[in-house]
Amino acid sequence: MQYGYFDDNSREYVITRPDTPYPWINYLGSDEFFGLFSNTSGGYCFYRDARMLRLTRYRYNNVPADAGGRYFYLRDHGSGDVWSPSWMPVKAALDRYECRHGMGYSRISSARGGLAFSQVSFVPLRDNCEIHKITLTNESNIDKYIDIFSFVEFCLWNANDDMTNFQRNFSIGEVEVDGSRIYHKTEYRERRNHYAVWAVNVPVDGFDTDRQTFLGLYNGFDHPQAVFKGEAGNSIASGWAPIGSHHIKTKLSPGESKTYVFVLGYCENHEDEKWESPGIINKKPANVLLEKYGTPESADRALAALNEYWKNLLGRFTVDAEDKKMARMAGVWNQYQCMVTFNMSRSASYFESGIGRGMGFRDSNQDLLGFVHLVPERARSRILDIAATQFPDGSAYHQYQPLTKRGNNEVGSGFNDDPLWLICGVAAYIKETGDYGILNENVPFDNNESLADTLFVHLKRSFDYTVNNKGPHGLPLIGRADWNDCLNLNCFSKTPGESFQTTANFESGIAESVLIAAIFVFTGPDYVSICRRTNRNDEADRAEKEIAKMKEAINEHGWDGLWFLRAYDAHGKKIGSRECDDGKIFIESNGFAVMADIGLDDGRAQKALDSVKEHLDTPYGIVLLQPAYKDYHLELGEVSSYPPGYKENAGIFCHNNPWVTIAETRLGRGTRAFETYTKICPAYREDDSDLRRMEPYVYAQMVAGKDAARFGEAKNSWLTGTAAWTFVSISQYILGVRPVYDGLLIDPCIPSGMKGFNVTRHFRGADYHIMVDNSEGVEKGIKSIMLDGVRFDSVVLPAFNDGKRHQVIVTMGNK
Ligand code: GLC
Ligand code: GLC
């Protein structure tokens, strides 16, 4: 069944009941301050780094689910009735409920006992705070006396320490209260120069900052004793757990509405301006912030500015088609998710705790494919940050820390696919912008300025890293693992709990990856193009030879008869072969090899994709491998550690499904390409939400495969490379509007039943209005293109760069 619906006009997903099959969340924030916000007001916020500078506490894996948020409690003074207008945490039944997740904001509206409530929550552009504007309306015909209580629980900044180091933390919590403003200042007395403020724009009748006083030691968030009593304790936290709660008493006549603006902000002072007077924090930055958002009108203006920001951003690529599900995903939600992965990488979601991973080298380069058309300037600086963590030999730290931008030693390196993704990311950036200047930027190696060289040299080292690290079959050595983090062929881990990602490797010099070979053949030609376009023809010739050699190695040692092999293990044995008992066929090498056009000329590409369909396809997407590994294999590592059907062990690992989609378009099979696209696309499974469980408006990393008990259930929504790759597959290969070095290539590959579609695309300073007509009902092929009313003979539209709008009419069909 469905728990809501898409409101396409307002670009919102409207959740119509609070008890969704899992918390369905949204992200607030677009620059440095971010919040996670669920449909029942759960979540938390942080400044720049979810681990180091977290403002509010959140309890992952708690009971009940989704514990912690910015809560409002309402109490009817007359009847003593208490409820949460967001349903959680009190869970008193609501007469009405709706949550609208929009672009960077969420609205909750509800009603109980004749009192309507509405809330809009967002992070304004350029300021480091969340705004929660709430309105109460008396819909009854009697006067209502209402107690409003706000509630946030502060995190003592370092979210990891906050959840582990209680011997210290229970003694250090400090606050200040000044009227309606509650300041959280733990550790400000020593090395921190920042504090949080939680304020409301009206005078209050009471407050609490001590959790135990507010809740009662043995109560949960669902039964705060202060709220049920109707009286705040005016407590000042000292150690234990500092919180922020305002108590406002108000009277509403029939029909009357009242609006309040709550602001939760992050404030910093200069080192020498920390104090107003001894022990009293300097509140200047807070005053400026709260002044700015002190009225409902100013909050509304900030929200309007945010809406405008998103309207412009999403205006850069829009889709109009009969298939509304595809149009809303490609035009809105998929791009929105790409921006979230840009901002969050893999740090903070309801599956990533915000204290674990830094920014992945390969993840960030792939994420870029999905947002480079939206924020090219930011993609540029992201590329330079990533490249600066590369080692001089071309290999890379697997992760780097967003705050310091330095490579993460704990996670180390040795994932041998990593370097190639840098070429892939830079190529995407240049194709989008035409900015070859980026290649001349001086970029450190290993964050060491004295090792700096041009970005071009970084690309060369990336390319050569693969060339210089090949195994017995002339295929790339896999190292710790390739794109599949769990294919740990040199690991041989026997120790329970040992991390497959970081444990010492026995570098065999034998284990090889066919996937890396295919990535090399796919992305190598971009390196060649970049060389040629910057007059490095000798280097281009050399690179072409290397690519040809790699193709040969794949042809000779990477083909299994009906599909592409996946790898050779440290003993030189095949993985992903019909000779294997389990793991006979894998998705990744097959998708990528065909994406790289390998086997297009001799029928192997088609065979490979037909085999993928036959052995790996399911109604919910394509599983990663078959048959699932039943037992743990020392020589394979983590992939075989998962129960069959989950994660990399034969789960539907959505990230690699669009590789098959793109591969199908290389064969011209538009109907099949679209089928693989829709199977993992959340909007098509909206009415199946009880099984899928995750948000119908975002992709999930994994859907349980056919070997799992919960076949079809998704997990790990939001922060996944699926977002970028599905956007590439639908926008560039199915709808076929693809930036290339010389302009915008038009190359649709769609189901024969799709009559046509319209796309608008902002590209290098001009707007292209592209109308595709497929009344002939083909899957691929262009009969004619009219550009600004004149017949145009190429399929590559020029980069006009003239700030104008250009009309493109594409007729598909056989010439
Ligand atoms: C996760 C990682 C990604 C990896 C994938 C497959 O999504 O973030 O880097 O490629 O798993 O293991
Ligand atoms: C595990 C997961 C994989 C993820 C990795 C990140 O190996 O299975 O999906 O990429 O952890 O560290």
Side-chain angles (χ1 to χ4, degrees), residues 164-189:
T164 45
N165 192 7
F166 304 109
Q167 61 79 24
R168 170 178 163 88
N169 291 343
F170 284 169
S171 296
I172 63 172
E174 288 192 291
V175 297
E176 263 179 59
V177 178
D178 181 9
S180 308
R181 300 176 177 185
I182 296 170
Y183 297 91
H184 174 230
K185 60 170 186 177
T186 299
E187 289 188 343
Y188 191 82
R189 63 168 53 248

Short mmCIF file of all heavy atoms in Angstrom, two decimals, residues 164-189:
data_model
loop_
_atom_site.label_atom_id
_atom_site.label_comp_id
_atom_site.label_asym_id
_atom_site.label_seq_id
_atom_site.Cartn_x
_atom_site.Cartn_y
_atom_site.Cartn_z
N THR A 164 29.93 7.43 24.03
CA THR A 164 30.79 6.40 24.62
C THR A 164 31.48 6.84 25.92
O THR A 164 31.67 6.02 26.82
CB THR A 164 31.89 6.00 23.61
OG1 THR A 164 32.45 7.17 23.03
CG2 THR A 164 31.33 5.13 22.51
N ASN A 165 31.82 8.11 26.01
CA ASN A 165 32.73 8.54 27.08
C ASN A 165 31.96 9.15 28.27
O ASN A 165 32.11 10.32 28.58
CB ASN A 165 33.72 9.54 26.50
CG ASN A 165 34.86 9.81 27.45
OD1 ASN A 165 34.99 9.16 28.49
ND2 ASN A 165 35.68 10.78 27.12
N PHE A 166 31.17 8.32 28.92
CA PHE A 166 30.26 8.88 29.93
C PHE A 166 30.96 9.30 31.22
O PHE A 166 30.49 10.20 31.91
CB PHE A 166 29.14 7.88 30.22
CG PHE A 166 28.41 7.50 28.97
CD1 PHE A 166 28.53 6.23 28.41
CD2 PHE A 166 27.63 8.43 28.30
CE1 PHE A 166 27.88 5.90 27.23
CE2 PHE A 166 26.97 8.11 27.12
CZ PHE A 166 27.11 6.83 26.58
N GLN A 167 32.09 8.65 31.54
CA GLN A 167 32.78 9.05 32.76
C GLN A 167 33.15 10.53 32.74
O GLN A 167 33.15 11.20 33.75
CB GLN A 167 34.01 8.15 33.01
CG GLN A 167 35.09 8.18 31.92
CD GLN A 167 36.01 9.39 31.99
OE1 GLN A 167 36.16 9.99 33.04
NE2 GLN A 167 36.61 9.75 30.85
N ARG A 168 33.44 11.05 31.53
CA ARG A 168 33.73 12.49 31.40
C ARG A 168 32.45 13.29 31.16
O ARG A 168 32.18 14.27 31.81
CB ARG A 168 34.72 12.71 30.24
CG ARG A 168 34.92 14.17 29.86
CD ARG A 168 35.95 14.33 28.72
NE ARG A 168 35.85 15.64 28.09
CZ ARG A 168 36.51 16.73 28.52
NH1 ARG A 168 37.31 16.65 29.57
NH2 ARG A 168 36.38 17.89 27.89
N ASN A 169 31.68 12.80 30.18
CA ASN A 169 30.57 13.61 29.68
C ASN A 169 29.53 13.96 30.73
O ASN A 169 28.91 15.02 30.67
CB ASN A 169 29.90 12.91 28.51
CG ASN A 169 30.82 12.87 27.30
OD1 ASN A 169 31.78 13.62 27.24
ND2 ASN A 169 30.53 11.99 26.36
N PHE A 170 29.31 13.05 31.67
CA PHE A 170 28.27 13.32 32.66
C PHE A 170 28.65 14.47 33.60
O PHE A 170 27.85 14.93 34.39
CB PHE A 170 27.94 12.05 33.47
CG PHE A 170 27.10 11.06 32.71
CD1 PHE A 170 26.90 9.78 33.20
CD2 PHE A 170 26.49 11.40 31.50
CE1 PHE A 170 26.12 8.86 32.50
CE2 PHE A 170 25.71 10.49 30.80
CZ PHE A 170 25.53 9.21 31.30
N SER A 171 29.89 14.94 33.49
CA SER A 171 30.33 16.03 34.36
C SER A 171 30.60 17.34 33.64
O SER A 171 30.94 18.34 34.27
CB SER A 171 31.62 15.62 35.10
OG SER A 171 31.36 14.54 35.96
N ILE A 172 30.49 17.38 32.34
CA ILE A 172 30.97 18.59 31.66
C ILE A 172 29.87 19.47 31.04
O ILE A 172 30.15 20.57 30.59
CB ILE A 172 32.01 18.26 30.56
CG1 ILE A 172 31.39 17.40 29.45
CG2 ILE A 172 33.23 17.58 31.17
CD1 ILE A 172 32.31 17.20 28.26
N GLY A 173 28.64 19.00 31.00
CA GLY A 173 27.58 19.75 30.31
C GLY A 173 27.33 21.11 30.94
O GLY A 173 27.20 21.24 32.15
N GLU A 174 27.29 22.16 30.10
CA GLU A 174 27.04 23.51 30.62
C GLU A 174 26.10 24.28 29.69
O GLU A 174 26.18 24.14 28.47
CB GLU A 174 28.35 24.29 30.72
CG GLU A 174 29.26 23.83 31.84
CD GLU A 174 30.40 24.83 32.07
OE1 GLU A 174 31.27 24.91 31.18
OE2 GLU A 174 30.39 25.52 33.10
N VAL A 175 25.27 25.10 30.28
CA VAL A 175 24.34 25.92 29.50
C VAL A 175 24.31 27.33 30.09
O VAL A 175 24.80 27.57 31.18
CB VAL A 175 22.90 25.37 29.54
CG1 VAL A 175 22.81 23.99 28.90
CG2 VAL A 175 22.36 25.34 30.97
N GLU A 176 23.71 28.23 29.31
CA GLU A 176 23.32 29.54 29.84
C GLU A 176 21.91 29.79 29.35
O GLU A 176 21.57 29.38 28.23
CB GLU A 176 24.22 30.63 29.25
CG GLU A 176 25.38 31.05 30.13
CD GLU A 176 26.22 32.13 29.46
OE1 GLU A 176 25.70 33.22 29.12
OE2 GLU A 176 27.41 31.86 29.26
N VAL A 177 21.12 30.46 30.14
CA VAL A 177 19.78 30.80 29.69
C VAL A 177 19.61 32.30 29.83
O VAL A 177 19.97 32.89 30.84
CB VAL A 177 18.71 30.07 30.54
CG1 VAL A 177 17.30 30.47 30.07
CG2 VAL A 177 18.87 28.56 30.43
N ASP A 178 19.09 32.89 28.75
CA ASP A 178 18.86 34.33 28.77
C ASP A 178 17.49 34.57 28.14
O ASP A 178 17.35 34.59 26.93
CB ASP A 178 19.98 35.02 27.96
CG ASP A 178 19.81 36.53 27.96
OD1 ASP A 178 18.95 37.04 28.71
OD2 ASP A 178 20.55 37.19 27.20
N GLY A 179 16.49 34.67 28.98
CA GLY A 179 15.12 34.84 28.48
C GLY A 179 14.69 33.66 27.65
O GLY A 179 14.68 32.53 28.14
N SER A 180 14.38 33.90 26.37
CA SER A 180 13.89 32.82 25.50
C SER A 180 15.03 32.11 24.78
O SER A 180 14.78 31.34 23.87
CB SER A 180 12.95 33.40 24.45
OG SER A 180 11.96 34.17 25.08
N ARG A 181 16.24 32.46 25.15
CA ARG A 181 17.38 31.89 24.43
C ARG A 181 18.16 30.93 25.33
O ARG A 181 18.63 31.31 26.40
CB ARG A 181 18.31 33.01 23.97
CG ARG A 181 17.56 33.95 23.03
CD ARG A 181 18.39 35.13 22.62
NE ARG A 181 17.61 35.93 21.68
CZ ARG A 181 18.07 36.98 21.03
NH1 ARG A 181 19.32 37.37 21.23
NH2 ARG A 181 17.30 37.65 20.20
N ILE A 182 18.28 29.72 24.85
CA ILE A 182 19.01 28.71 25.61
C ILE A 182 20.33 28.44 24.88
O ILE A 182 20.33 28.14 23.68
CB ILE A 182 18.17 27.41 25.71
CG1 ILE A 182 16.89 27.70 26.51
CG2 ILE A 182 18.98 26.29 26.34
CD1 ILE A 182 15.87 26.57 26.47
N TYR A 183 21.42 28.58 25.60
CA TYR A 183 22.74 28.40 24.99
C TYR A 183 23.36 27.11 25.49
O TYR A 183 23.42 26.88 26.70
CB TYR A 183 23.66 29.57 25.35
CG TYR A 183 23.16 30.88 24.81
CD1 TYR A 183 22.32 31.69 25.58
CD2 TYR A 183 23.51 31.30 23.54
CE1 TYR A 183 21.84 32.89 25.08
CE2 TYR A 183 23.05 32.49 23.03
CZ TYR A 183 22.21 33.29 23.80
OH TYR A 183 21.74 34.47 23.29
N HIS A 184 23.83 26.31 24.57
CA HIS A 184 24.58 25.12 24.96
C HIS A 184 26.06 25.41 24.79
O HIS A 184 26.53 25.66 23.67
CB HIS A 184 24.18 23.92 24.11
CG HIS A 184 25.03 22.72 24.39
ND1 HIS A 184 25.65 21.99 23.42
CD2 HIS A 184 25.39 22.18 25.57
CE1 HIS A 184 26.36 21.02 23.98
NE2 HIS A 184 26.22 21.11 25.29
N LYS A 185 26.81 25.37 25.89
CA LYS A 185 28.21 25.83 25.83
C LYS A 185 29.20 24.83 26.43
O LYS A 185 30.25 25.23 26.93
CB LYS A 185 28.35 27.19 26.51
CG LYS A 185 27.94 27.18 27.98
CD LYS A 185 28.33 28.51 28.64
CE LYS A 185 28.07 28.49 30.13
NZ LYS A 185 28.50 29.72 30.78
N THR A 186 28.87 23.56 26.34
CA THR A 186 29.81 22.56 26.86
C THR A 186 31.17 22.67 26.16
O THR A 186 31.23 22.81 24.94
CB THR A 186 29.22 21.14 26.65
OG1 THR A 186 27.99 21.07 27.36
CG2 THR A 186 30.17 20.07 27.15
N GLU A 187 32.21 22.65 26.94
CA GLU A 187 33.61 22.74 26.49
C GLU A 187 34.00 24.11 25.95
O GLU A 187 35.13 24.32 25.52
CB GLU A 187 33.96 21.63 25.47
CG GLU A 187 34.04 20.25 26.10
CD GLU A 187 34.57 19.15 25.17
OE1 GLU A 187 34.59 19.35 23.95
OE2 GLU A 187 34.95 18.08 25.69
N TYR A 188 33.08 25.06 26.00
CA TYR A 188 33.42 26.42 25.56
C TYR A 188 34.44 27.03 26.51
O TYR A 188 35.27 27.85 26.12
CB TYR A 188 32.15 27.26 25.52
CG TYR A 188 32.28 28.60 24.86
CD1 TYR A 188 32.21 28.73 23.47
CD2 TYR A 188 32.45 29.76 25.61
CE1 TYR A 188 32.32 29.96 22.86
CE2 TYR A 188 32.55 31.01 25.01
CZ TYR A 188 32.49 31.10 23.63
OH TYR A 188 32.59 32.34 23.01
N ARG A 189 34.37 26.63 27.78
CA ARG A 189 35.31 27.15 28.78
C ARG A 189 36.75 26.81 28.44
O ARG A 189 37.68 27.46 28.88
CB ARG A 189 34.99 26.58 30.16
CG ARG A 189 35.16 25.05 30.21
CD ARG A 189 35.13 24.46 31.62
NE ARG A 189 33.97 24.86 32.38
CZ ARG A 189 34.02 25.66 33.45
NH1 ARG A 189 35.17 26.12 33.86
NH2 ARG A 189 32.93 25.97 34.08
#
